[in-house]
Amino acid sequence: MSTLESTISMLRVMPEADVRVIFEMTKKLFDDKASPFAPVSKKQILQDVDVSSRQIEQGNTQDTAEAIRELKTKYGL
């Protein structure tokens, strides 16, 4: 079974609400404004680093193992 066939068979058995969530997430990948693959400027990268540094200084962090556990629970992994 190909990847496409596997994907289609999974989508067929999923609840409609979950299929809609996947559809919306997929649309965002191709939306220039929301795409995680859209190019960013050096200025934006440096601003993001500054925000992250301030969050770390303020203790606004989460343990990596806990974050992974939450993601596994949320997505049933």
Side-chain angles (χ1 to χ4, degrees), residues 33-77:
K33 297 173 207 153
S35 174
F37 309 113
V40 293
S41 67
K42 180 178 177 180
K43 180 180 178 181
Q44 182 61 50
I45 293 170
L46 293 175
Q47 288 173 345
D48 291 348
V49 169
D50 286 341
V51 168
S52 295
S53 296
R54 281 195 299 276
Q55 289 171 335
I56 292 167
E57 288 171 4
Q58 296 168 355
N60 296 334
T61 61
Q62 183 178 21
D63 179 66
T64 305
E66 177 61 27
I68 291 171
R69 274 193 297 278
E70 288 180 10
L71 289 170
K72 285 181 176 181
T73 300
K74 181 176 180 177
Y75 296 105
L77 303 173

